[in-house]
């Protein structure tokens, strides 16, 4: 768990975000989603370290893949909430579907771009 620069917000090992305040724990895949949840619950969203918060926002933006629960970790594509990972996005997709998990595009353009880039690496 890493501090994000936002009050009570941490980056988890699976690159999701956690807001932890008292007995409240809210999680989301992106900082924008987490900020929305925090506001919906009437909790405080505040920046404590501007530079670190900007780095967290940049990391969050760069780690979008266009697929639900899929993120990059070094050379691997990983599926959030599981142990599934692969160097190939197509292989990860097969593993996810074989495990009866949900494979869904969240951003068609970004998904297409990542599939193309991934196919060139192989």
């Amino acid at each position: 768990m890493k501090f994000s620069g936002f009050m009570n917000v941490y980056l988890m090992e699976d690159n999701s975000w956690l807001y932890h305040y008292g007995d409240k724990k809210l999680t989301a895949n992106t900082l924008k989603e987490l900020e929305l949840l925090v506001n919906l619950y009437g909790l405080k969203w505040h920046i404590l370290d501007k530079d670190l918060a900007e780095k967290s926002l940049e990391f969050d933006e760069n780690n979008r893949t266009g697929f639900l629960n899929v993120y990059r970790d070094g050379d691997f594509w990983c599926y959030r909430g599981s142990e599934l990972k692969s160097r190939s996005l197509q292989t990860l997709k097969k593993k996810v579907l074989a495990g009866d998990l949900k494979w869904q595009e969240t951003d068609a353009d970004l998904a297409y771009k990542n599939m193309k880039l991934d196919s060139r690496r192989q």
Side-chain angles (χ1 to χ4, degrees):
M1 186 165 37
K2 296 179 185 175
F3 180 63
S4 67
F6 295 93
M7 184 172 71
N8 303 321
V9 177
Y10 303 93
L11 176 63
M12 304 304 289
E13 287 182 25
D14 68 355
N15 289 339
S16 64
W17 298 95
L18 168 71
Y19 181 92
H20 186 218
Y21 179 72
D23 62 344
K24 282 275 189 226
K25 287 185 179 182
L26 304 172
T27 59
N29 292 334
T30 68
L31 283 169
K32 267 187 181 177
E33 291 171 5
L34 187 60
E35 182 179 11
L36 179 65
L37 276 174
V38 168
N39 289 327
L40 285 172
Y41 278 88
L43 300 169
K44 191 174 186 178
W45 184 265
H46 184 72
I47 296 174
L48 295 177
D49 181 325
K50 186 178 178 183
D51 291 336
L52 188 53
E54 286 175 7
K55 287 178 185 175
S56 293
L57 287 166
E58 183 179 326
F59 170 83
D60 196 45
E61 183 65 28
N62 289 335
N63 205 26
R64 291 184 42 228
T65 63
F67 298 99
L68 182 68
N69 294 325
V70 175
Y71 65 95
R72 290 285 291 179
D73 187 11
D75 290 337
F76 291 93
W77 297 97
C78 304
Y79 193 83
R80 206 173 261 117
S82 76
E83 297 295 318
L84 299 177
K85 67 180 183 177
S86 176
R87 291 185 187 272
S88 160
L89 195 51
Q90 281 294 342
T91 303
L92 179 64
K93 179 180 179 178
K94 289 175 187 174
K95 288 179 179 182
V96 168
L97 293 173
D100 261 349
L101 297 170
K102 186 175 188 176
W103 184 267
Q104 177 184 338
E105 282 187 10
T106 56
D107 181 321
D109 292 336
L110 195 54
Y112 176 78
K113 176 184 147 197
N114 278 312
M115 279 293 199
K116 279 293 202 194
L117 289 172
D118 189 56
S119 67
R120 291 182 185 162
R121 287 188 191 128
Q122 298 172 10

